[in-house]
Amino acid sequence: MPLHAEAQKPLRFAPVGLGDISDIFMRACAQSNKCKVTALVSGHAKEKAPKYEALYGISPKNVYNYENYDEIAHNPEIDAVYIGLPNSMHAEYTIRAAKAGKHVLCEKPMAISSKECQQMIDACRENNVKLMIAYRVHYDPMWQQIRKLARSGAIGEIQGFQGGFYGIKMHGWRLNRKLAGGGSLLDLGIYPLNAIRWFTGEEPDHFAAQVATKIPGPRFTEVEESIEFNMRFPSGILASSGSSYGENGPAYLSVDGTHGNLWVEPAFYYDGLKYHGTTIHGPVSGISPGKQPYQFVYEADHFADCVRYNRTPATPGEEGLKDMLAMEAIYRAAGAPIA
């Protein structure tokens, strides 16, 4: 497909799956000058599509279901797809989009296995389309500021991390192993895991982990409720983190250095980001003024620029693959099943 070279022309998206995350993404596109929603893909198109057709002026001819999805190849009003489906469907619909010649912005986790991640990367490369994983934290200006501060030497040499994402009581497909691929690690634990990897610029080489399910009943018969894991990096940096669908706890990241510390809390929600800490220059703090869906706007705009100007995304498929390899290693360390 030709590059979207006209700077003033928005990148035209077809969200695939019309759940909550796609709703947020579509609102972000409506706030962007670089992106526009021009088509829809849903397994329940008759029930869900009319709302978004009216909101965003989408023609009924641009509404697809999962059976006729491949026909997007013949629609010049679609440049890219946004994959907001359950985790186990990411690989199939990314690969089908690539074969249709459409660029792909896929939600995290990228897939439910490293094998699937590699298949997605290969398909997009073979069909000359962009693949970006939707790590919205990477595109938040305050997160970028915190990372720069941590890596600048302002807290000395980084020694370790503590992090976690607890207390989101998920239901529905996220508790179904076939659809989710795993429990709280793939949905919540991936946030501190990815942030720690992003801050260090390294890949962990040693893991220890435990999984547990404390809530009785049928809710967690297929996926773990809670997980705690430790990682060691080649430089000697140590990190401990965890996630839970049951605990009522924080979403935070602590970065510990030889001469200071940075604490981010709340860290991984759609807005409300705050941080504070001590550095060799004195105390620091910040409160993000951004409101949902601002992170999604930055994310979508970055992807649009990558397509327009033939750039590699800051969070390409390879980034999603590295997280998946780490999560597989965490599950192995815990003796837990891997999708």
Side-chain angles (χ1 to χ4, degrees):
M1 145 175 212
L3 289 176
H4 208 69
E6 297 178 31
Q8 73 278 11
K9 189 175 181 181
L11 187 71
R12 297 164 295 184
F13 276 100
V16 184
L18 301 183
D20 292 343
I21 196 76
S22 291
D23 183 273
I24 298 170
F25 179 78
M26 285 187 273
R27 287 193 278 119
C29 288
Q31 294 182 19
S32 169
N33 294 321
K34 298 181 179 181
C35 303
K36 184 178 181 181
V37 175
T38 56
L40 303 167
V41 183
S42 175
H44 304 279
K46 290 184 179 179
E47 296 84 2
K48 294 185 176 182
K51 169 186 173 181
Y52 297 110
E53 289 176 53
L55 277 173
Y56 303 116
I58 298 167
S59 170
K61 70 180 178 62
N62 287 352
V63 177
Y64 299 84
N65 56 46
Y66 297 153
E67 287 70 36
N68 67 5
Y69 175 63
D70 301 313
E71 294 178 16
I72 65 174
H74 310 298
N75 191 335
E77 296 178 9
I78 301 171
D79 302 310
V81 299
Y82 170 79
I83 307 292
L85 294 163
N87 304 339
S88 67
M89 300 172 73
H90 289 185
E92 176 187 349
Y93 286 85
T94 291
I95 292 168
R96 289 170 69 181
K99 290 179 178 178
K102 307 302 181 182
H103 303 287
V104 181
L105 175 56
C106 179
E107 266 303 330
K108 45 67 40 199
M110 182 176 176
I112 61 171
S113 72
S114 55
K115 180 180 178 181
E116 285 189 346
C117 293
Q118 190 61 58
Q119 291 171 342
M120 295 161 71
I121 292 168
D122 292 343
C124 290
R125 182 182 296 120
E126 289 165 6
N127 290 280
N128 195 31
V129 297
K130 301 292 182 186
L131 172 60
M132 177 173 139
I133 310 305
Y135 289 106
R136 55 185 169 79
V137 163
H138 286 244
Y139 304 100
D140 184 315
M142 181 164 283
W143 265 113
Q144 292 173 355
Q145 176 184 330
I146 297 166
R147 179 177 182 264
K148 183 178 179 180
L149 184 63
R151 292 166 62 90
S152 70
I155 60 171
E157 185 177 352
I158 294 176
Q159 297 292 300
F161 294 84
Q162 290 81 42
F165 198 170
Y166 304 94
I168 304 294
K169 294 175 174 59
M170 293 298 188
H171 298 275
W173 66 261
R174 287 180 174 83
L175 304 184
N176 181 319
R177 174 166 292 279
K178 183 178 179 181
L179 291 175
S184 68
L185 175 62
L186 267 72
D187 190 43
L188 303 179
I190 190 174
Y191 281 96
L193 166 64
N194 182 262
I196 292 166
R197 288 185 47 255
W198 182 40
F199 274 49
T200 63
E202 298 182 73
E203 299 307 319
D205 59 8
H206 183 77
F207 301 84
Q210 291 184 323
V211 296
T213 295
K214 192 172 184 295
I215 296 177
R219 188 170 166 221
F220 293 106
T221 56
E222 297 187 30
V223 300
E224 82 277 357
E225 175 192 345
S226 304
I227 188 164
E228 294 293 323
F229 56 93
N230 298 306
M231 302 181 292
R232 185 186 67 200
F233 290 81
S235 64
I237 290 173
L238 298 175
S240 63
S241 191
S243 60
S244 178
Y245 282 156
E247 299 177 39
N248 183 17
Y252 76 99
L253 184 72
S254 174
V255 190
D256 302 313
T258 53
H259 294 92
N261 168 274
L262 297 172
W263 185 281
V264 189
E265 185 186 355
F268 307 116
Y269 294 118
Y270 296 140
D271 55 20
L273 178 65
K274 298 179 182 179
Y275 81 96
H276 66 271
T278 57
T279 74
I280 58 176
H281 309 294
V284 293
S285 63
I287 301 175
S288 173
K291 299 297 181 184
Q292 184 194 147
Y294 80 106
Q295 292 176 334
F296 290 76
V297 177
Y298 284 116
E299 174 185 85
D301 284 353
H302 176 84
F303 187 60
D305 285 341
C306 289
V307 173
R308 286 192 186 102
Y309 305 117
N310 194 22
R311 299 171 182 165
T312 299
T315 54
E318 288 78 4
E319 180 71 6
L321 171 60
K322 290 173 183 176
D323 266 348
M324 186 55 61
L325 288 168
M327 289 189 289
E328 288 175 342
I330 291 167
Y331 277 134
R332 283 194 296 269
I338 302 172

